[in-house]
Amino acid sequence: MPEKVKKEQSIEKNASTEEKIKEAARRVFTRKGYAATRTRDIAEESGYNVALINYYFRSKEKLFDIIMLEHIQLFVNSVLEHLNDRTTSLPQKLEILIGHYIDMLIKNPDLPVFILNEINADPAKLIAKVGFDKIKPENIYMAEQWRMMVAAGKVPPINPIHFLMNAVSMTIFPFIASPLIRNRMGLTLDEFNALMEERKKLIPAWIKSIMHNPQPL
Amino acid sequence: MPEKVKKEQSIEKNASTEEKIKEAARRVFTRKGYAATRTRDIAEESGYNVALINYYFRSKEKLFDIIMLEHIQLFVNSVLEHLNDRTTSLPQKLEILIGHYIDMLIKNPDLPVFILNEINADPAKLIAKVGFDKIKPENIYMAEQWRMMVAAGKVPPINPIHFLMNAVSMTIFPFIASPLIRNRMGLTLDEFNALMEERKKLIPAWIKSIMHNPQPL
DNA sequence: GTCTATAGACTGATAGAC
DNA sequence: GTCTATCAGTCTATAGAC
């Protein structure tokens, strides 16, 4: 139980309230975005009131920064270790990463819109603040593996950025467009999630198809 | 020149001011989102002042609705005719649609974030209001062509929604993640756009690969 | 049509009682 | 720690002069 005693005279009994407010804030922020969220919304959602929010977090912005940081680190951290794992092959990495991401997105479907949204509002601020700057193409073992496959002639000599974009796009975008897709295709949330489960195996297989049977351009 | 005379005693001289405010609003709304945009921002950006905005558009929300409607119709309308074109094959449709979309996205890179964002804020409202409800899978000739290819055994019997998602994902997502991609990969806007130009040919080719050489699952 | 000035409502944050 | 009450600032929208 780390970081329990934060406040001066707190004899640790607070952790619960503080956490409840944070979770309420997480829900409201991801649903409505920073600007459209009022501190009163968070208070209502948490069951407490505005004064408590400022008591624990000083300001709406500071609370948001904390949520944002945790969210994005959830997104980034677990990925880095997989990208640099020297015991897995490149196709294995794909399958592990994509499976891991889809699991996480099924649990937190609002996350991508939230992150992309706030990144778009102020790119430099968030990228630096949040750990995306740890992902440098040069330092990542997966990129090295890719270069080796190109050198061995096992993969077409197309800019590897394209394959990266494809994997990420096919994994994340359906969740971003989920409200639209579900509405147009008449899918329930469960049906949609079942399709996403299918994609855990399908996307890596598709990427293999692309890599091994490039169509003439 | 349709819809020129709107106001009562206007002897048409306004069209210019009204249009300038609308364009200023378009820029600010797409950059900051609805909630974070203040009428003062639009006034400043347009070179006029707040009173004029309400003189022409009655309220911030009404102005936003107009912009939104035009944006999304830009997104939807031109696509419908291609989807229902009976003179083009399915692969041809893919190439035309993807090329068309990438052109449009290079010109309006902020559009997808803006639309997805506001759709997410209130899905039902926008979908109905804006013409997405015209896209019904049953009525679209492209879907019929797909079914014929499945029946002829030319395409694997995977839920066609997956292929639709893939095409849309690979086309649109890179623009959504553009700030992140450019920052991480160290790409200028021109370099990024050049990659997107490449994808006009690549994405249809990749989809063909997937369709004709499905990997064992 | 375009401006300045201001009304009226809402928002984030704090003071102070318990 | 938690609440109610309230302040100061900001926002949208309008009134009224030109």
Side-chain angles (χ1 to χ4, degrees):
Chain A
M1 295 187 184
E3 308 209 83
K4 203 62 174 298
V5 186
K6 282 176 168 177
K7 294 287 162 191
E8 297 78 357
Q9 71 281 62
S10 84
I11 322 178
E12 43 186 280
K13 194 177 170 184
N14 52 329
S16 168
T17 317
E18 186 173 345
E19 198 54 39
K20 272 182 199 159
I21 292 176
K22 227 159 80 175
E23 280 177 24
R26 186 178 43 72
R27 283 194 296 276
V28 183
F29 277 137
T30 49
R31 200 187 320 134
K32 308 175 61 163
Y34 176 76
T37 297
R38 298 162 307 157
T39 50
R40 283 164 170 80
D41 297 331
I42 300 175
E44 197 178 339
E45 176 91 12
S46 71
Y48 298 96
N49 57 66
V50 270
L52 264 289
I53 296 174
N54 286 70
Y55 174 74
Y56 281 107
F57 302 98
R58 282 202 36 155
S59 78
K60 174 187 168 187
E61 195 179 355
K62 288 215 167 56
L63 172 54
F64 178 78
D65 283 349
I66 291 171
I67 308 271
M68 192 68 190
L69 211 84
E70 289 181 0
H71 267 175
I72 298 193
Q73 275 163 0
L74 179 71
F75 222 89
V76 175
N77 281 346
S78 57
V79 173
L80 275 174
E81 47 192 285
H82 289 129
L83 285 174
N84 282 315
D85 188 342
R86 294 193 171 242
T87 69
T88 53
S89 69
L90 201 145
Q92 284 175 321
K93 278 196 179 59
L94 269 183
E95 207 165 321
I96 293 169
L97 278 168
I98 290 171
H100 172 268
Y101 257 79
I102 289 181
D103 281 338
M104 200 244 282
L105 290 166
I106 287 177
K107 279 187 211 135
N108 310 7
D110 294 329
L111 209 52
V113 174
F114 176 66
I115 291 179
L116 288 169
N117 214 2
E118 304 297 339
I119 278 183
N120 224 273
D122 191 346
K125 174 188 165 192
L126 283 173
I127 290 169
K129 202 170 184 173
V130 122
F132 275 132
D133 50 352
K134 287 181 200 156
I135 305 184
K136 286 224 167 62
E138 315 87 79
N139 307 334
I140 286 177
Y141 183 61
M142 189 183 184
E144 179 61 23
Q145 285 180 307
W146 175 270
R147 269 178 245 117
M148 279 158 53
M149 288 188 75
V150 173
K154 288 186 179 174
V155 137
I158 293 176
N159 192 330
I161 292 181
H162 282 306
F163 288 94
L164 184 59
M165 282 189 200
N166 291 347
V168 177
S169 298
M170 290 195 287
T171 306
I172 298 181
F173 186 83
F175 288 92
I176 294 180
S178 161
L180 194 57
I181 293 171
R182 298 207 346 248
N183 179 294
R184 294 294 74 221
M185 300 299 173
L187 300 174
T188 67
L189 185 58
D190 284 343
E191 288 166 339
F192 178 82
N193 285 342
L195 282 175
M196 296 303 111
E197 285 288 345
E198 282 179 37
R199 290 174 77 82
K200 284 189 196 173
K201 298 278 182 189
L202 288 170
I203 295 172
W206 289 327
I207 293 176
K208 270 193 224 170
S209 292
I210 292 173
M211 280 164 44
H212 294 102
N213 303 290
Q215 288 282 313
L217 309 177
Chain B
M1 296 188 183
E3 308 208 86
K4 205 60 174 296
V5 187
K6 282 176 168 178
K7 293 288 164 191
E8 298 75 358
Q9 70 280 64
S10 84
I11 321 178
E12 41 188 283
K13 193 176 172 187
N14 51 330
S16 166
T17 317
E18 186 173 348
E19 199 53 39
K20 271 182 199 161
I21 292 175
K22 228 160 79 178
E23 280 177 24
R26 187 177 44 72
R27 283 194 296 275
V28 184
F29 276 137
T30 49
R31 200 187 318 134
K32 307 175 62 162
Y34 176 76
T37 296
R38 299 163 306 161
T39 49
R40 284 169 168 79
D41 297 331
I42 300 174
E44 198 179 337
E45 176 90 12
S46 71
Y48 298 95
N49 57 66
V50 270
L52 264 288
I53 295 173
N54 286 67
Y55 174 76
Y56 281 107
F57 301 98
R58 282 203 35 161
S59 77
K60 174 187 167 185
E61 195 179 356
K62 288 217 167 55
L63 172 55
F64 178 78
D65 284 349
I66 291 171
I67 308 270
M68 193 67 190
L69 211 84
E70 289 181 359
H71 267 174
I72 298 194
Q73 276 164 359
L74 178 71
F75 222 89
V76 175
N77 282 347
S78 57
V79 173
L80 275 172
E81 47 193 284
H82 290 129
L83 285 175
N84 283 315
D85 188 341
R86 293 190 172 246
T87 68
T88 52
S89 69
L90 201 145
Q92 284 174 321
K93 278 194 179 58
L94 270 183
E95 205 164 320
I96 293 170
L97 278 168
I98 290 171
H100 173 267
Y101 257 78
I102 289 181
D103 281 338
M104 200 243 284
L105 289 166
I106 287 177
K107 276 187 213 137
N108 309 12
D110 294 330
L111 210 51
V113 175
F114 176 67
I115 290 178
L116 288 169
N117 214 1
E118 304 296 340
I119 277 183
N120 224 273
D122 191 345
K125 173 188 166 193
L126 282 173
I127 288 168
K129 201 169 184 174
V130 122
F132 276 131
D133 50 352
K134 286 182 201 157
I135 306 185
K136 287 224 166 62
E138 316 88 79
N139 307 335
I140 285 177
Y141 183 62
M142 189 183 185
E144 179 62 24
Q145 287 180 306
W146 176 268
R147 273 179 243 118
M148 280 158 52
M149 288 188 75
V150 173
K154 288 186 181 175
V155 137
I158 293 176
N159 192 329
I161 292 180
H162 282 306
F163 287 96
L164 185 59
M165 283 189 202
N166 292 347
V168 177
S169 299
M170 290 195 286
T171 306
I172 298 180
F173 186 83
F175 288 92
I176 295 180
S178 160
L180 194 56
I181 295 171
R182 296 205 350 247
N183 179 296
R184 294 294 74 221
M185 300 298 172
L187 299 174
T188 67
L189 185 59
D190 283 343
E191 287 165 341
F192 178 82
N193 285 342
L195 281 176
M196 295 304 111
E197 285 287 346
E198 281 178 41
R199 289 173 79 81
K200 284 189 196 173
K201 299 276 182 191
L202 288 170
I203 295 172
W206 288 327
I207 293 175
K208 268 194 226 171
S209 292
I210 292 173
M211 281 164 41
H212 294 103
N213 303 292
Q215 288 282 312
L217 308 178

